[in-house]
Amino acid sequence: MRPKNIILVRHGQSIGNVDKSHYALTPDYRLQLTDVGMDQAIQAGKVISDLVRNESVYAYYSPWIRTKQTFGCIHEQMPNKIVRALEDPRLREQDWGHYKEVEFLAKENANRKEYGKFYFRLQDGESGADVYDRISSFMETLHRDFQKPDYPENSLIVTHGVTLMIFCMRWFHWSVEEFEQYRNPHNGQVIVLGRDESRQYRITSKLGRTTSSTPSTSPV
């Protein structure tokens, strides 16, 4: 049974979001939430709890520290609603490579914007296209889970900015050009893919983008 809602959450603010020098000292996957990020995650949990009411939730989350912390805060707000939680490495953020100095990160990001964020391959890291491939694999797992007769009424995916947007790209069959027009969600932002009367999923949350558009729908 396909879920009523697919709820996507970007992790709360991390120490790397406020001070890029951490990327030169700490592996990306170990970056933790700030106090602000913890509050954002708690608020996300309250929003999701209000959305699902008394319905059940199947959660998937990235194994990186900031996403695990975000999921932990969400779980605390709705402990009896999440009936199963699965850590999945395919939901990790786009890999920016190993330790990087602030100046190098700035240059790399400028080159990425000029070249195109989907195809540009980061040094020692991934391109957006690489993330697309592993999200496609994750989606196969997701659809197999949907076929289980006791699948919960809602899905929750706690992940990262680029990964979240590429999930939407893959789900709604956006072109590369369409994907390039969207901005990443804010830290702690909740994006809801809700099923409408025609049983299609529609993004019911606001996504930032550089041009105006009508809401996305999908027959998937």
Side-chain angles (χ1 to χ4, degrees):
M1 179 182 70
R2 292 190 301 168
K4 179 179 178 181
N5 297 295
I6 300 173
I7 305 162
L8 308 172
V9 184
R10 183 185 177 190
H11 62 81
Q13 182 192 77
S14 74
I15 58 174
N17 292 134
V18 295
D19 184 354
K20 301 299 182 186
S21 67
H22 286 286
Y23 288 99
L25 304 170
T26 308
D28 196 357
Y29 68 91
R30 290 184 182 173
L31 295 176
Q32 300 190 29
L33 295 182
T34 62
D35 290 342
V36 170
M38 296 290 281
D39 289 341
Q40 290 170 334
I42 290 169
Q43 182 59 35
K46 293 178 179 178
V47 169
I48 297 166
S49 183
D50 289 343
L51 172 68
V52 303
R53 297 181 181 273
N54 295 320
E55 297 173 349
S56 58
V57 177
Y58 193 137
Y60 308 83
Y61 59 93
S62 159
W64 288 17
I65 297 299
R66 56 188 180 271
T67 38
K68 292 175 72 171
Q69 289 178 314
T70 300
F71 172 69
C73 291
I74 292 172
H75 195 192
E76 288 176 0
Q77 303 306 309
M78 44 190 293
N80 299 323
K81 300 176 185 180
I82 297 177
V83 297
R84 186 174 180 188
L86 180 66
E87 179 178 297
D88 195 314
R90 291 172 295 183
L91 293 173
R92 69 189 185 276
E93 181 58 301
Q94 180 180 7
D95 191 346
W96 279 66
H98 302 134
Y99 304 105
K100 299 287 179 69
E101 299 291 340
V102 173
E103 295 78 9
F104 182 85
L105 282 173
K107 182 178 179 181
E108 187 92 315
N109 197 41
N111 289 337
R112 176 172 173 256
K113 289 180 179 178
E114 181 179 352
Y115 190 91
K117 62 182 181 180
F118 186 77
Y119 291 118
F120 184 77
R121 185 180 299 281
L122 298 156
Q123 182 174 314
D124 300 325
E126 295 179 300
S127 66
D130 294 324
V131 180
Y132 185 96
D133 290 342
R134 55 178 162 85
I135 286 301
S136 295
S137 172
F138 169 74
M139 204 167 286
E140 291 174 1
T141 299
L142 198 62
H143 283 296
R144 285 195 297 272
D145 285 346
F146 289 170
Q147 299 305 311
K148 297 174 181 177
D150 58 346
Y151 192 83
E153 294 145 297
N154 299 276
S155 294
L156 169 65
I157 299 173
V158 183
T159 183
H160 307 258
V162 172
T163 310
L164 188 156
M165 293 309 301
I166 288 182
F167 180 95
C168 290
M169 176 190 182
R170 179 66 179 80
W171 187 272
F172 292 110
H173 309 295
W174 292 342
S175 66
V176 172
E177 290 74 18
E178 288 177 296
F179 166 75
E180 297 270 353
Q181 293 172 359
Y182 283 97
R183 302 186 185 97
N184 281 355
H186 302 300
N187 290 115
Q189 186 172 351
V190 178
I191 304 296
V192 180
L193 279 56
R195 216 172 58 196
D196 62 19
E197 294 178 356
S198 64
R199 301 185 65 81
Q200 293 184 335
Y201 285 94
R202 180 182 297 273
I203 297 177
T204 61
S205 308
K206 185 176 180 180
L207 289 178
R209 58 178 300 169
T210 57
T211 59
S212 61
S213 68
T214 55
S216 294
T217 59
S218 170
V220 183

